[in-house]
Amino acid sequence: MSESTFCGPVLLRGERVELRPFSIDDAAALIEIIRAGEDFLPDNFPRRLDAERLAWWLNTGVHQPQRSGAAIHLAVLDRESGAFVGTIGLYRVDWTQLTCEVGYGTRPRARRRGYATEALRLISRWALRDCGLHRIELRAATIESVRVAEKAGYVCEGVARGGEREEGVNRDQFVFSLLAADLDRSEAGPPRLVGIGVGPGDPELVTAKAVRILREADVVLVPVMALDEEGRAESVVRAYTGKAERVVFALNDRGGVTGKRAAAWDGAAERVVRAFEEGAHTVAFATIGDPNVYSTFTYLAQSVRERRADVAVETVPGITAMQDLAARSGTVLTEGAESLALVPLTAGVSGFRAALETGDTVVAYKVGSVAAEVVEVLKDAGRLEEAVYGARLGLAGEDVRPAREITGAVPYLSTLIVPGRRTTRGGKL
Ligand SMILES: C[S@@+](CC[C@H](N)C(=O)[O-])C[C@H]1O[C@@H](n2cnc3c(N)ncnc32)[C@H](O)[C@@H]1O
């Protein structure tokens, strides 16, 4: 692509505006503008109402620099009404350096409606994508113009002191620029942190979406207890991508927000932020089960947002341990009008006991240290017989059995389902 791109018919269409070269048909609108003293037109535009010069400019003057590739002036029209709302142009086009400047003006009556921003986005994209230019410079002297530049994604480089002479005075100009690479970044959207649920442990229980994002992500982080130990999510992630990077989390720490935990969240958040600073667009964080169910991802996302408010946080659902245990043990989680309570046992069994008294199906997570007490509570409630237990689901050493057969200590990855009491088919409808 080169200056020849300027020679073809140019028509740039956005949602609300249309950009096209001037023609003699614009004469009437321009005469009205000149008469009204609206001054927003390009510098080389005839300022005095001289029909002959205007006709020359519309027929020839405006097109000559376009033909030589030195500049292009376009009229900005409202797409719906066809009304002429402003002008925009590229000038000082240097095809050796692949640089140019951009200038725009909006009719006073059409200001503050987003026309200039949309026109600037359109011409910038066209210049950097279709014409093959590398850099567009924009100089802004008013706050309105600075806002337009920022909204269109231009980056402020500094101030050109006394950069433009206006009414006998040299005024400061904010210098902005947009590079083709900035456009790539802005079109890719804001940096993304994606919490990916990878299921309880069986690599087959991972969604197609999770696999796609794990493979597409620039950086994939997996939480581990120690850098030299494989993480629970990591073994699943490794079935699909080799790029898992370990970040240490105090996964088993107890007692609220301990110093160890807070330091781990901060450290992981710093790693994510660094990845974005180094150019990553998508950072994936794999977590067992679902990222919105008792997952470290929640704290990581908060810590990253505190540091980078522009990061978009998303999650990809994963199959939870309770769903996997239901499937592996042949247990229906809920039917009819039954309720389902999910109770973590880290803080003891009282919440579990209360849920058994008031609810139908009760699922307990983090059974680990209180397994013996859990069995006693189930006995007292008369619900031990139907309860099922599953440990290390989908992983080596998987153990699924009736809860009455629990003996001694159980691993951290242990889940319990106490199904609602059912007597007849559809009895809970
Ligand atoms: C921090 S929570 C994570 C929950 C997970 N985000 C989910 O959606 O299932 C950890 C608890 O999930 C349960 N869990 C997770 N993976 C498991 C597995 N493979 N086997 C048994 N229980 C599991 C256990 O109750 C464990 O204590």
Side-chain angles (χ1 to χ4, degrees):
M1 301 277 175
S2 69
E3 56 261 60
S4 59
T5 320
F6 280 11
C7 296
V10 180
L11 179 63
L12 308 177
R13 283 206 167 114
E15 225 171 276
R16 296 178 59 213
V17 299
E18 182 171 289
L19 276 51
R20 57 142 177 82
F22 285 91
S23 80
I24 194 71
D25 298 336
D26 295 314
L30 291 172
I31 287 171
E32 191 195 319
I33 287 162
I34 297 168
R35 277 210 179 113
E38 294 180 27
D39 197 10
F40 65 93
L41 298 162
D43 287 347
N44 65 342
F45 191 85
R47 288 297 190 277
R48 280 174 306 133
L49 199 54
D50 172 339
E52 213 173 301
R53 276 196 65 210
L54 180 61
W56 175 86
W57 194 79
L58 289 171
N59 277 326
T60 318
V62 73
H63 300 300
Q64 233 156 30
Q66 183 177 338
R67 275 193 290 272
S68 70
I72 184 163
H73 295 287
L74 299 174
V76 181
L77 308 165
D78 178 284
R79 273 190 75 170
E80 207 179 290
S81 64
F84 179 69
V85 291
T87 69
I88 193 158
L90 304 176
Y91 55 101
R92 292 202 189 114
V93 183
D94 183 330
W95 291 101
T96 317
Q97 301 298 320
L98 298 180
T99 57
C100 70
E101 289 189 31
V102 66
Y104 44 86
T106 309
R107 294 184 75 170
R109 69 178 71 162
R111 287 181 189 158
R112 279 181 276 280
R113 295 196 210 153
Y115 288 124
T117 306
E118 197 184 340
L120 181 59
R121 283 200 189 117
L122 283 171
I123 202 166
S124 305
R125 192 173 195 289
W126 177 71
L128 299 174
R129 285 272 187 273
D130 302 339
C131 305
L133 290 168
H134 177 75
R135 169 192 161 92
I136 307 175
E137 186 169 310
L138 182 159
R139 292 184 169 222
T142 63
I143 191 69
E144 289 80 14
S145 202
V146 164
R147 292 235 169 87
V148 168
E150 286 173 344
K151 280 196 240 154
Y154 276 69
V155 177
C156 188
E157 295 180 338
V159 175
R161 295 183 303 148
E164 195 172 286
R165 194 154 180 83
E166 239 180 74
E167 294 160 3
V169 185
N170 273 63
R171 297 187 195 282
D172 291 353
Q173 299 264 300
F174 287 99
V175 180
F176 285 84
S177 66
L178 189 74
L179 305 185
D182 296 331
L183 205 62
D184 294 342
R185 266 196 294 280
S186 70
E187 285 178 357
R192 277 162 97 204
L193 172 63
V194 192
I196 308 231
V198 295
D202 178 348
E204 284 189 327
L205 292 184
V206 182
T207 64
K209 184 168 183 174
V211 172
R212 176 177 60 77
I213 297 181
L214 286 171
R215 287 185 175 148
E216 283 173 6
D218 303 297
V219 174
V220 177
L221 301 177
V222 290
V224 293
M225 307 274 234
L227 284 179
D228 56 356
E229 278 176 31
E230 188 178 63
R232 298 170 187 130
E234 181 181 354
S235 55
V236 183
V237 168
R238 292 221 181 269
Y240 298 101
T241 170
K243 62 186 165 197
E245 177 187 325
R246 296 176 181 172
V247 279
V248 177
F249 270 88
L251 294 167
N252 277 357
D253 218 23
R254 290 178 173 240
V257 186
T258 59
K260 210 169 152 192
R261 267 200 167 132
W265 297 339
D266 288 341
E270 298 293 345
R271 173 64 193 104
V272 173
V273 168
R274 190 155 45 83
F276 290 135
E277 282 166 2
E278 287 168 358
H281 176 251
T282 302
V283 174
F285 179 88
T287 180
I288 53 166
D290 183 276
N292 293 308
V293 178
Y294 301 124
S295 168
T296 37
F297 180 70
T298 305
Y299 312 116
L300 174 69
Q302 277 172 11
S303 312
V304 169
R305 274 214 181 108
E306 279 162 17
R307 288 164 173 80
R308 286 276 304 249
D310 61 326
V311 171
V313 174
E314 295 167 33
T315 51
V316 175
I319 290 169
T320 60
M322 72 175 159
Q323 290 167 287
D324 197 15
L325 177 57
R328 287 176 198 271
S329 63
T331 308
V332 173
L333 270 174
T334 49
E335 60 173 70
E338 282 176 357
S339 63
L340 170 64
L342 176 57
V343 186
L345 296 183
T346 13
V349 293
S350 57
F352 178 61
R353 188 181 285 116
L356 286 174
E357 279 163 17
T358 54
D360 299 308
T361 300
V362 179
V363 174
Y365 267 16
K366 310 181 188 185
V367 183
S369 59
V370 290
E373 274 179 80
V374 164
V375 173
E376 288 311 309
V377 172
L378 284 171
K379 254 189 224 157
D380 292 349
R383 296 180 70 177
L384 180 60
E385 275 315 296
E386 57 270 33
V388 289
Y389 158 87
R392 301 191 53 79
L393 300 162
L395 300 164
E398 175 181 293
D399 181 8
V400 177
R401 54 171 119 168
R404 63 174 181 277
E405 291 176 17
I406 297 176
T407 47
V410 302
Y412 169 74
L413 288 186
S414 303
T415 296
L416 191 81
I417 300 176
V418 190
R421 289 209 169 103
R422 296 153 198 156
T423 44
T424 54
R425 184 175 67 176
K428 290 296 182 72
L429 280 170

